[in-house]
């Protein structure tokens, strides 16, 4: 009865368009009050203790760092490098958009931030070159989802805290899967460009021009080297690396490129604060929701049911992928991670799946969810920037989603794609 009340009230609130953070909190409160097992003050205490975490401090820092670097001219310089390197190929602008999204992902750690930063520049340029708007938005929405797979990644931090695994190991494990998805998207973009006649630029850049573009973007290219190199080299923790990223983005934007004005800085800080507050509230209420699940032993019941249904890890992972793809269509990424991790992790560890590998599987599934309606946040951001209907953007993303699902299956059933970098780094 408690489980029915918890999930029933949560779904009812979502159907009524109540924000997900409020829905999670109210559903948890209703279930706790009905059960009477703990005091109602447990909710307030849980909201505080759930966000009282040093690793979790990395989230607002990475959000601010990504916004500062986008506003400070780093994303524009990355696009210029992509243009001189790939602009002449068939589907050149599409390839540039994907490659730049991959690189910006190593700065921002956020899918929507990547779509906003790159889409704001690329979508008008692609429209001028005759690219279909729905196709362009679908492509950038899919490429932007790499923002949560290639490290640093905000959802990876949330999973690491929820599953009690190393953030550094999660970051290492995300490198190859993120690159594989990027390559898969490039292949689809190239084939689509050939089919629809999206030709590259006739301009051929000399070696000197390429060198000049790379030199102009040196500070942007250096950002992930400093952030990720510092983490993997043991110079600083992921949380400290996020703070370093904020300082780096501010100094480069304000004093090197001189594109970050006082007014722009205020807008960046205000926008980042709103985003961070939203994320932290979701973390708090989703954690309470997860604790209610634990009190009622729901994760153990589900784990026991699945293991009794089948003990074949291939079938279990296939069922979990299907569940995660479905959940990703309707639930915000961070809330889904916090709620589903304690439910699914015991199931997969019981059949020998590594928790770090499983974390990558969860995140790739939910990254695909960022491109699938009705709650595909990347699609919403891209459609708003590109000025197209959501339905058209969703249609344009279908081929890219298929490519991502195919890559997901490879990542799921070949653990070495995620875990190999850990062995190379001695973890």
């Amino acid at each position: 009865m408690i489980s029915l009340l918890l999930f029933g009230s949560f779904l009812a609130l979502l159907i009524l368009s109540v924000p997900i953070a409020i829905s999670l909190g109210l559903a948890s409160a209703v279930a706790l009050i009905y059960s009477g097992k703990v005091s109602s003050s447990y909710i307030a205490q849980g909201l505080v203790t759930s966000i009282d975490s040093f690793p979790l401090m990395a989230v607002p820092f990475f959000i601010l760092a990504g916004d500062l670097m986008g506003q400070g001219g780093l994303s524009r310089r990355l696009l210029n490098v992509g243009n001189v390197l790939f602009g002449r190929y068939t589907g050149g602008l599409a390839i540039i958009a994907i490659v730049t999204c991959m690189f910006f992902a190593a700065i921002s750690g956020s899918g929507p931030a990547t779509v906003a930063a790159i889409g704001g520049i690329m979508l008008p340029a692609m429209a001028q070159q005759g690219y279909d708007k729905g196709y362009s938005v679908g492509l950038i929405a899919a490429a932007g989802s790499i923002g949560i797979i290639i490290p640093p990644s905000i959802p990876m931090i949330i999973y690491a805290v929820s599953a009690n695994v190393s953030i550094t190991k999660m970051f290492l494990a995300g490198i190859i899967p993120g690159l594989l998805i990027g390559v898969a998207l490039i292949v689809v973009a190239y084939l689509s460009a050939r089919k629809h006649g999206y030709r590259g630029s006739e301009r051929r850049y000399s070696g000197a021009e390429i060198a000049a573009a790379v030199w102009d973007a040196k500070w942007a290219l250096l950002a992930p080297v400093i952030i990720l190199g510092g983490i993997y080299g043991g110079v600083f923790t992921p949380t400290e690396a996020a703070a370093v990223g904020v300082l780096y983005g501010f100094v480069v934007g304000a004093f090197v490129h001189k594109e970050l004005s006082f007014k722009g800085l205020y807008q960046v800080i205000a926008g980042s604060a709103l985003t961070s507050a939203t994320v932290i509230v979701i973390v708090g209420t989703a954690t309470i929701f997860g604790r209610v699940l634990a009190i009622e032993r729901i994760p153990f019941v589900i784990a026991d049911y699945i293991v009794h249904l089948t003990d074949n890890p291939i079938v279990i992972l296939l069922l979990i992928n299907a569940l995660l793809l479905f959940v990703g269509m309707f639930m915000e990424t961070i809330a889904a991670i916090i709620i589903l991790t304690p439910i699914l992790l015991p199931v997969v560890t019981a059949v020998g799946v590594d928790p770090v590998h499983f974390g990558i599987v969860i995140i790739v599934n939910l990254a695909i969810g960022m491109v699938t309606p009705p709650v595909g946040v990347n699609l919403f951001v891209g459609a708003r920037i590109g000025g197209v209907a959501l339905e058209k953007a969703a249609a344009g993303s279908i081929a890219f989603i298929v490519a991502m699902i195919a890559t997901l299956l490879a990542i799921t059933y070949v653990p070495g794609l995620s875990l190999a970098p850990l062995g190379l780094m001695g973890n």
Side-chain angles (χ1 to χ4, degrees):
M1 183 61 190
I2 300 296
S3 303
L4 183 62
L5 189 62
L6 179 67
F7 287 104
S9 57
F10 175 58
L11 291 174
L13 289 166
L14 287 181
I15 291 171
L16 293 173
S17 300
V18 177
I20 190 164
I22 307 302
S23 298
L24 288 166
L26 288 177
S28 303
V30 169
L32 284 174
I33 291 169
Y34 181 85
S35 70
K37 291 183 178 180
V38 294
S39 168
S40 57
S41 63
Y42 178 82
I43 297 174
Q45 293 169 353
L47 287 172
V48 175
T49 58
S50 63
I51 61 175
D52 184 16
S53 166
F54 180 73
L56 204 57
M57 287 176 61
V59 173
F61 278 125
F62 273 126
I63 290 172
L64 179 55
D67 287 348
L68 284 169
M69 293 181 190
Q71 186 75 16
L74 279 75
S75 57
R76 181 170 54 81
R77 286 168 172 80
L78 288 175
L79 281 168
N80 191 39
V81 172
N83 186 47
V84 300
L85 292 175
F86 304 105
R88 64 189 179 90
Y89 298 107
T90 298
L93 285 180
I95 296 172
I96 291 167
I98 295 167
V99 172
T100 310
C101 282
M102 292 170 66
F103 210 95
F104 195 78
I107 298 175
S108 70
S110 166
T114 302
V115 173
I118 306 306
I121 302 171
M122 285 302 303
L123 288 174
M126 294 177 78
Q128 276 189 337
Q129 288 286 329
Y131 283 74
D132 178 78
K133 285 188 175 182
Y135 167 87
S136 301
V137 170
L139 178 145
I140 291 179
S145 69
I146 302 175
I148 70 168
I149 303 170
I150 290 181
S153 161
I154 292 169
M156 279 186 190
I157 297 170
I158 302 298
Y159 173 82
V161 173
S162 301
N164 196 27
V165 299
S166 165
I167 295 175
T168 302
K169 287 184 178 181
M170 287 299 302
F171 281 4
L172 281 168
I175 295 173
I176 294 177
L179 294 176
L180 284 175
I181 290 175
V183 170
L185 295 181
I186 288 172
V187 170
V188 172
Y190 176 77
L191 295 175
S192 298
R194 289 189 60 181
K195 178 181 178 181
H196 295 101
Y198 299 142
R199 304 184 63 83
S201 169
E202 296 181 0
R203 171 87 184 270
R204 297 294 185 270
Y205 292 91
S206 66
E209 289 174 317
I210 293 173
V214 172
W215 180 254
D216 185 45
K218 59 185 179 295
W219 298 107
L221 296 170
L222 194 59
V225 175
I226 292 173
I227 294 171
L228 299 178
I231 294 172
Y232 303 147
V235 179
F236 34 66
T237 67
T239 302
E240 292 165 346
V244 169
V246 171
L247 179 62
Y248 185 87
F250 171 71
V251 170
V252 172
F255 301 109
V256 178
H257 295 326
K258 298 181 180 179
E259 296 185 17
L260 187 63
S261 63
F262 179 79
K263 181 180 179 181
L265 179 63
Y266 171 80
Q267 291 172 341
V268 166
I269 292 175
S272 298
L274 287 172
T275 304
S276 299
T278 302
V279 170
I280 294 301
V281 172
I282 290 173
V283 168
T285 54
T287 301
I288 296 296
F289 193 92
R291 290 179 182 176
V292 175
L293 292 176
I295 290 171
E296 298 300 325
R297 297 185 56 81
I298 295 171
F300 303 101
V301 173
I302 294 175
D304 188 61
Y305 175 77
I306 293 177
V307 170
H308 278 85
L309 184 66
T310 176
D311 59 357
N312 187 326
I314 295 175
V315 176
I316 287 175
L317 286 171
L318 186 62
L319 292 173
I320 288 175
N321 275 332
L323 171 65
L324 289 169
L325 288 171
F326 178 76
V327 169
M329 295 171 63
F330 297 94
M331 188 176 291
E332 198 274 336
T333 302
I334 291 173
I337 290 171
I338 296 174
I339 293 170
L340 294 176
T341 296
I343 295 176
L344 300 176
L345 190 58
V347 177
V348 296
T349 53
V351 293
V353 178
D354 186 280
V356 173
H357 171 225
F358 183 62
I360 299 301
V361 171
I362 286 182
I363 287 166
V364 173
N365 270 287
L366 296 177
I368 296 172
M370 301 176 94
V371 197
T372 51
V375 190
V377 62
N378 282 12
L379 274 183
F380 279 105
V381 173
R384 187 173 68 247
I385 294 172
V388 299
L390 183 65
E391 295 81 4
K392 190 173 182 181
S397 68
I398 291 174
F400 301 105
I401 292 173
V402 171
M404 293 177 76
I405 292 175
T407 311
L408 166 66
L409 293 175
I411 293 166
T412 300
Y413 293 114
V414 186
L417 295 175
S418 303
L419 302 179
L422 276 68
L424 294 175
M425 296 295 290
N427 289 296

